[in-house]
Amino acid sequence: MTIAVTAVSGQLGRSIVGAIARLDPAQTIVGLARTPERADGLGIDVRPGDYSDIDRLSRSLQGVETLLLVSGNEQPEKRVRQHRNVLDAARAAGVTKVVYTSVQGAEEGTAFSPVVQSNRQTEADVRDSGMDWAIGRNGIYIEPDVESIDAYVAAGEVANCAGSARCGYTTRSELAEAYAQMLVQPAHNQRTYMLHGEPITQAQLVAHLNSAFGTQLVYRSMTVEEYREDRVAALGGFMGSVIAGIYEGIRTGAHDQPSDFAEAAGRPHHGWDDYFSARPSAV
C-alpha cells in the first residue's frame, strides 16, 4: 500500500510522515506540498500538492491507495472548494481511502464557527466520497502556549476569555500517532474520533507552565469582547477574531468533550504532568 500525506511542508504533515515511518519502516509514503522544495529532508517522494490545482493533484496521486488530507488554512468558503478538489483528484487517481484532519469547536455563535462549519462540510464530503474514510477532530494544540512562554513572562500573566472552563488540548506528535493508526488499520474505517488529552483549565495550564519553566505566571480572565479587541489589535481583524472565537468556544464548553484518542491510537494520550516534566526547567 502507498500512503500519501498532504501539506508535508507543515508541522502536522511532517509529524504524520514520521509517525507512519515509525509504525512501519517499510511503508511507501508519498508527500504532497504546494511548494515541494519546502519539504526537503523527509526522505520520501514529495510531489506537487496545491489544493487549487486538481489536474496536478490527480497526477501526483497516481499509484496511491490511502490519502491523509490535512485541512487547509484558507478562508472557510475557499477551503471547502479546495478540499473538494483533493477528493475529486483522489477519486480520479484511484485512491480507495481518505483520512481527514478536522477540528473541534463551537459550531455556532463564535467567530471561529465558520471555520468549524467548513470542516463539518468537508467531513460530509469525505463520507459521501465513495471511498473508505476516517475522520479525526483535533483538539487545540498546546505547543503555541509553550512557544509563547517569553511573551507570557514579559506580561507576567496568561490572559484570555476562556475563564474557568476546561479545554481538551493535544500535541502534533500525539495526533500524528493517532493518524498513522487510522491510515493503516481498516478497523478505523467509517469512524469519527475526538482527538485530545485530558481537558484542563487555563489555571491548570498556567500551573504546568510555571512548573516546567520556573515562572510565576498567573491567569487573568477577560470578557469575550475585551479579548477580541486585544487579539484584533495584535493580529488584525480576521485572525484576531478567529482566535477570540476559539477561546469563546472554550468558555462555553465546546472543547470539554469526551476523548476517543485511545481508541484511535491504541494507547492513552500522554498526561500533561508527563508532557510538561519533559520541558526545559527555565526560560
Side-chain angles (χ1 to χ4, degrees), residues 224-258:
V224 172
E225 188 53 40
E226 286 171 341
Y227 189 56
R228 181 182 296 112
E229 291 176 359
D230 176 83
R231 291 298 82 198
V232 167
L235 303 172
F238 174 70
M239 186 54 66
S241 294
V242 166
I243 296 299
I246 292 173
Y247 281 85
E248 183 179 2
I250 297 174
R251 185 187 190 97
T252 60
H255 292 269
D256 187 5
Q257 304 294 329

Side-chain angles (χ1 to χ4, degrees), residues 52-71:
S52 297
D53 191 339
I54 188 170
D55 291 334
R56 179 164 283 189
L57 282 167
S58 183
R59 293 194 295 272
S60 293
L61 289 170
Q62 293 297 316
V64 170
E65 287 88 16
T66 301
L67 172 66
L68 189 287
L69 171 56
V70 175
S71 179

Side-chain angles (χ1 to χ4, degrees), residues 67 89 131 169 184 186 225:
L67 172 66
M131 297 178 278
Y169 287 99
V184 304
E225 188 53 40

Side-chain angles (χ1 to χ4, degrees), residues 215-231:
T215 53
Q216 294 182 328
L217 302 172
V218 298
Y219 174 64
R220 178 168 63 89
S221 181
M222 307 171 71
T223 68
V224 172
E225 188 53 40
E226 286 171 341
Y227 189 56
R228 181 182 296 112
E229 291 176 359
D230 176 83
R231 291 298 82 198

Side-chain angles (χ1 to χ4, degrees), residues 11 23 34 42 61 70 123 158 162-163 183 192 196 205 263 277:
Q11 295 183 69
L23 182 64
R34 183 167 55 185
L42 287 175
L61 289 170
V70 175
E123 291 179 17
V158 174
L183 285 161
T192 298
H196 59 268
L205 172 60
E263 186 174 359
S277 68

